[in-house]
Amino acid sequence: MKSALLILVIVGCVSAQFSSAGQTAIVNAHNLLRSKIAKGTYTAKGTLEPAAANMRKMKWDATVATSAQNYANTCPSGHSGAQGLGENMYWAWSTQAPTSLDSFGADASKSWEKEFQDYGWKSILLDWATFNTGIGHATAMAWANTNLIGCGVKYCGKDSNGWHRVTVVCQYKSQGNIINTNIYQKGNTCSACPSGSTCETSTGLCA
């Protein structure tokens, strides 16, 4: 019985993915940031960012999540280059193996958003100078035309130094971080929502 239980645990680690609660935490972290930007209340390292006229509400997409999970399962050390998808990656190391992977998605999202606080955000035009300040993960979260997200998570065992490693991959559609393009359109909240969407007044997002 003990050996059977051990096999189940190992299989569970191999096929681990975010639960519905983990998915919701990731989406909420993204939409909280996006809502603040849309309403013109977001401050990045002392700079109040202008309101967004066209910020779309992000939602979980199962197909994108499958792509992200498949890549996370490879325990990668760099980006996938998946066609038509944006991508953020996050690694966490600890001295002990994790008992649950569900919280790593929210941790990753907070880490990416923190780039705005660490490095500032001086321009909504994503030119190379802006990108190279170190805010590329955060701008992927804030890209106005992106409305679908899916993420994968994988416990990758011990690295060469004996640290336990967890990998998180989030992929985005439509793809953002297009150089020499505005991250969003400045203007009154929801004043330029894309065709087929309507303003969600509580969040200021185009849903």
Side-chain angles (χ1 to χ4, degrees), residues 145-177:
N145 287 327
T146 299
N147 72 317
L148 300 177
I149 183 173
C151 304
V153 61
K154 175 71 174 178
Y155 168 56
C156 295
K158 290 184 179 182
D159 65 14
S160 59
N161 295 315
W163 290 83
H164 296 270
R165 180 165 66 102
V166 172
T167 300
V168 175
V169 178
C170 283
Q171 294 179 339
Y172 301 89
K173 190 175 179 181
S174 298
Q175 184 176 359
N177 279 2

Side-chain angles (χ1 to χ4, degrees), residues 125-132 143 176-182:
L125 174 66
L126 189 68
D127 54 15
W128 281 115
T130 300
F131 182 82
N132 287 334
W143 201 266
N177 279 2
I178 302 170
I179 297 300
N180 294 325
T181 304
N182 284 338

Side-chain angles (χ1 to χ4, degrees), residues 104-123:
F104 285 95
D107 291 345
S109 303
K110 292 174 185 175
S111 173
W112 298 329
E113 186 273 331
K114 191 173 179 290
E115 292 175 350
F116 281 149
Q117 303 306 319
D118 289 342
Y119 307 116
W121 183 11
K122 302 300 184 184
S123 174

